[in-house]
Amino acid sequence: MSIPTETLLTVSGLRVTAAVDGELRPLVAGVDLSVSAGETVAIVGESGSGKSMTARALMGLLPAGVTVDGSVRYRGDELLPGSRGRRLHEDFAMIFQDPFTMLNPLLPSGRHISETLRDGRGRRLRGAAARAVEIERLAEVGIHDPSVATRYPFELSGGMRQRVGIAATLASNPTLLIADEVTTALDVTTQAEILQLLRSVQRARNVGMILITHDLSVAFSMADRVYVLYAGQLLEQAPSARMLAEPLHPYTRGLLESDPPLDHRAASLYSMPGSVPQAASVLHRCPFADRCAWVTDDCRAGATPLREVGGETGRLSACIRIEEIRPQVAAASAPASVSTATAVDAGTDGEGSDAFLSVVGLRKEFTRGGRTVVALDGVSIEVAAGESVGIVGESGSGKTTLGRSIVGLETPSDGSIRIGGVDASDYESLGHGQVAQLRSAVQMAFQDPFSTLSPARSIGSVLREALRLDDPRASTADVAELLALVGLPASYARRKPASLSGGERQRVALARALARKPRLIVCDEIVSALDVSVQAQILNLLNRLRAELGVGYVFITHDLAVVRQITDRVYVLHRGRLVEHGPTGSVLDEPREEYTRSLVASVPQNAIALP
């Protein structure tokens, strides 16, 4: 007989509302969930679904003008009297996506851990006592170098900062952790280490955990139960294994189908049409109706409450037609797969052909604080015209430095770069004509397009400026043609970047790069921050542009499933050195080098394989 597990948190009818133009609008509309000691529950959904807002409501971290009501009971005690809300229980702790934003850059890492701790008299720990606790807590999160306690956040890698952030969070001995997208910006091996760390801490302390993520692989590899949130409403709830085996809502099915497979290349990735609506606009109907293949008038006639399906305990769905369409939802399949060699251009193999891009023996050194850091150490790659080549490796492997060197944003310390027959090793030594030729031949698309678009300028003015670098007579019609190329309507020319979604901004960034009619685009982690459905849209767009325009890619990513879908060949970097390269399928399926094998093995083993 199993021992009953204590329920830590019970949330009923949680509503979050915001004052907009003098009117209260719902952001989260009646969420119910529970977490037991030692249990992990995941909240998944696209951006705009209300995941982070729910977490911040539980922590009492809502911004001014945003209120919460409903019932939040912690170990039986009600924490939300009425609708006023207040700072919630001290036993709750939150780990954020970017630890750099929660760590004070002026404090050494250890101080973040000892700052909130007190001795028996209620005094803050100081001196040797604080130092001992800092070292102990760092060791708990896998940092066994005592000197890390004296180092500042900016001196640490992303994974190390996340560990320090976790150590600081655990310092107060919380019983409930809320982890908000904690692995989104991490490479695959660091992600695996952080997830294993969270799992081991959870087991050792028997804490409950709410894991908020748009990464389905992370959710299903970590969680005991999964909640699917959409437009502020729960659409499905189930034990993770059961949901993975058979999703009982079309939206859940769509999320799973959009997740790129690691073991094969799809001819075209599935992507749900449309985007997440505002919660206020779909309160009295199925919120997913406008994007659903099985929608009927009944779905729009009234609210669709979460209810038990088929008498199966713990399996809840908000689809009023699920009993009728269940066989069809179960039978829906992911797109057909193709071999990597024939996915786009079977005649392009890069190696042994006339290379459009040739990088030979590239070395790049940086001097920091009186010491020399080698970012690239003798790296050589080739990319044929129209070929898509992946660059993968952990953070610090030199991927981005290589990409920036190719487009002239970094000057190599040694080695050579040739692009279309032009020596591009040092842009500053070239004449104006040669630089213009290179800028037209190769462009770069960045991870965060919002930071590269002026918030004060319209999309049309940004694209027109890019077009006029080569054609001073570029017109509004040319801008519309460029927008159409990336799947956006001409009306978007009048909009500002802030009014666009992340996927739309990435399309604009690609349009700007295409304005110069480049033969090669360096894509630096351009889909890493996107939801799986939007990610699929961008990957499909890139493959279409390649087929229609003959443009090639240097695709920099830490996501091996993504690199499988978009590249013909792949280069693996480790600490600035090239360790392995070859056809993408061969490298991922039969890696020769131990480091490559460790990368592949680090991908969360959730076995997302739709029936």
Side-chain angles (χ1 to χ4, degrees), residues 4 34 82 135 209 215 221 260 265 268 280 367 437 524 526 554 568:
S34 64
I135 293 173
M209 181 161 63
D215 190 323
S221 66
R265 180 165 181 166
S268 177
T367 301
Q437 181 181 345
D524 189 7
I526 65 170
V554 172
D568 304 315

Side-chain angles (χ1 to χ4, degrees), residues 37 51 150 226 268 281 291 337 400 479 488 537 550:
K51 304 186 303 295
T150 64
V226 176
S268 177
S281 68
R291 304 173 72 186
S337 64
T400 294
V479 170
L488 293 176
Q537 293 173 11

Side-chain angles (χ1 to χ4, degrees), residues 426-445:
D426 184 357
Y427 278 59
E428 293 183 359
S429 67
L430 301 177
H432 176 75
Q434 288 180 306
V435 170
Q437 181 181 345
L438 289 174
R439 296 297 185 209
S440 294
V442 59
Q443 286 283 300
M444 190 166 189

Side-chain angles (χ1 to χ4, degrees), residues 129 132 145 151 184-185 240 259 271 326 457 511 526 534 543:
D145 180 0
R151 290 157 65 183
T184 296
S240 58
D259 203 44
S271 177
R326 187 170 181 174
R457 299 181 61 190
I526 65 170
V534 179
N543 278 329

Side-chain angles (χ1 to χ4, degrees), residues 19 176-177 184 220 231 335 367 391 404 448 459 475 480 493 523-524 551 574:
L176 180 68
L177 288 176
T184 296
F220 285 104
T367 301
I391 310 293
R404 290 174 60 86
D448 180 13
I459 300 304
S475 65
C523 303
D524 189 7
V551 63
H574 180 48

Side-chain angles (χ1 to χ4, degrees), residues 17 62 82 270 285 289 313 332 345 351 360 389 421 447 452 469 484 569 609:
T17 56
L62 293 174
Y270 174 79
R285 63 179 178 90
T313 302
D345 184 357
E351 296 291 334
V360 179
V389 167
Q447 177 177 353
T452 65
L469 290 172
R569 293 186 302 111

